[in-house]
Amino acid sequence: MPMKPLEFDRRYGELDVVVAAFAGQEPDSPETDTAPPALQAYLQHTWRTRPWALSVAEQQLREYARNPPGRLRLRLGEFYSVPDLGLSESRTQSWLSEMADHIKRSVESGDVPRPTAPQTHGEWHARFGELGQFLGGWFSQDMPDEFADHDAAVRDYAESVDPQLTARLVGEIYELLALGLEGQDYAIGVGELGMEVEPPAPFSVEAWLQTVAEYLATARPDYGK
């Protein structure tokens, strides 16, 4: 019988968040005493948004490493299946313990990773969730078939989405612009967040995002004119 969502979250919810941070990433760091980049990304975002979850993650990782699902739980389906990290089963258990150790050291020492631009796909979406919804939902490769142009897509978003989410999007755009990235890095960032079309000429990615934020913040009917 599948595990109910509340019970799953109690046992494995934060463990799942940690493991998901490694999607497409190397699970190990070349330096054994240094947390892998994906875990550093998790620590940076979680310290900033949900510091209380770090102790939960440490506990769930360590408990799973000590007590992997036995035959009964496997048969009943009431367990968390760790995604394939490219590690053997035995190595996965020790790896979970090592990640728990890194989290414990970060909490006990108060060692918070310095704020940087997102380094992984998961970190981009964790940090810029509404921007990912906006770019992936309105500016996928199907955008030219669905809207007359970029301006029409932005107006459709503004008319379709709750104003509170629009306000969140504006804040995330300004947070992204405040990173002061190079132009190519902005292009990589919006690509990670789901944008599959180029910004309208003659705008760069950052200039177009600035224009979008200004329009959404003021709801000017003459956007793009």
Side-chain angles (χ1 to χ4, degrees):
M1 180 174 63
M3 186 176 296
K4 294 181 179 179
L6 187 58
E7 183 65 18
F8 177 89
D9 285 344
R10 286 173 177 165
R11 291 189 185 183
Y12 311 119
E14 201 60 27
L15 163 62
D16 186 51
V17 175
V18 173
V19 175
F22 285 85
Q25 305 295 314
E26 289 293 332
D28 288 320
S29 172
E31 301 178 36
T32 55
D33 292 336
T34 303
L39 186 65
Q40 293 182 35
Y42 166 81
L43 288 169
Q44 178 178 303
H45 182 72
T46 307
W47 266 114
R48 181 168 170 265
T49 59
R50 304 179 302 125
W52 54 267
L54 293 168
S55 63
V56 177
E58 189 268 344
Q59 180 184 37
Q60 291 184 356
L61 285 161
R62 204 173 298 284
E63 181 62 24
Y64 194 100
R66 290 171 177 166
N67 300 293
R71 293 181 179 178
L72 177 61
R73 286 165 65 194
L74 287 171
R75 188 180 56 168
L76 295 175
E78 295 187 351
F79 72 100
Y80 172 71
S81 179
V82 177
D84 184 8
L85 296 168
L87 304 172
S88 67
E89 183 176 346
S90 60
R91 174 63 185 124
T92 296
Q93 300 308 117
S94 62
W95 179 85
L96 290 169
S97 292
E98 291 167 12
M99 297 307 103
D101 290 341
H102 284 305
I103 295 172
K104 182 180 179 180
R105 281 195 292 271
S106 179
V107 172
E108 291 183 342
S109 67
D111 183 15
V112 183
R114 295 181 59 187
T116 61
Q119 300 299 307
T120 68
H121 179 78
E123 189 183 6
W124 276 106
H125 283 270
R127 188 164 172 182
F128 298 103
E130 188 57 30
L131 182 54
Q133 291 292 325
F134 170 68
L135 295 175
W138 276 263
F139 293 94
S140 71
Q141 61 184 353
D142 297 326
M143 187 276 285
D145 297 326
E146 297 177 358
F147 302 103
D149 53 25
H150 291 66
D151 300 342
V154 175
R155 285 194 294 269
D156 183 77
Y157 172 89
E159 294 167 359
S160 305
V161 175
D162 187 281
Q164 294 183 45
L165 294 178
T166 301
R168 183 177 302 169
L169 171 61
V170 171
E172 290 183 5
I173 291 176
Y174 282 124
E175 180 181 349
L176 175 58
L177 294 175
L179 294 176
L181 304 178
E182 298 293 332
Q184 184 61 31
D185 292 330
Y186 277 116
I188 293 172
V190 296
E192 291 282 0
L193 291 169
M195 188 172 183
E196 297 177 331
V197 296
E198 296 292 328
F203 292 102
S204 63
V205 170
E206 56 268 40
W208 176 69
L209 287 173
Q210 178 74 42
T211 303
V212 170
E214 290 174 355
Y215 165 69
L216 293 176
T218 59
R220 292 198 311 266
D222 59 343
Y223 169 77
K225 301 297 184 180

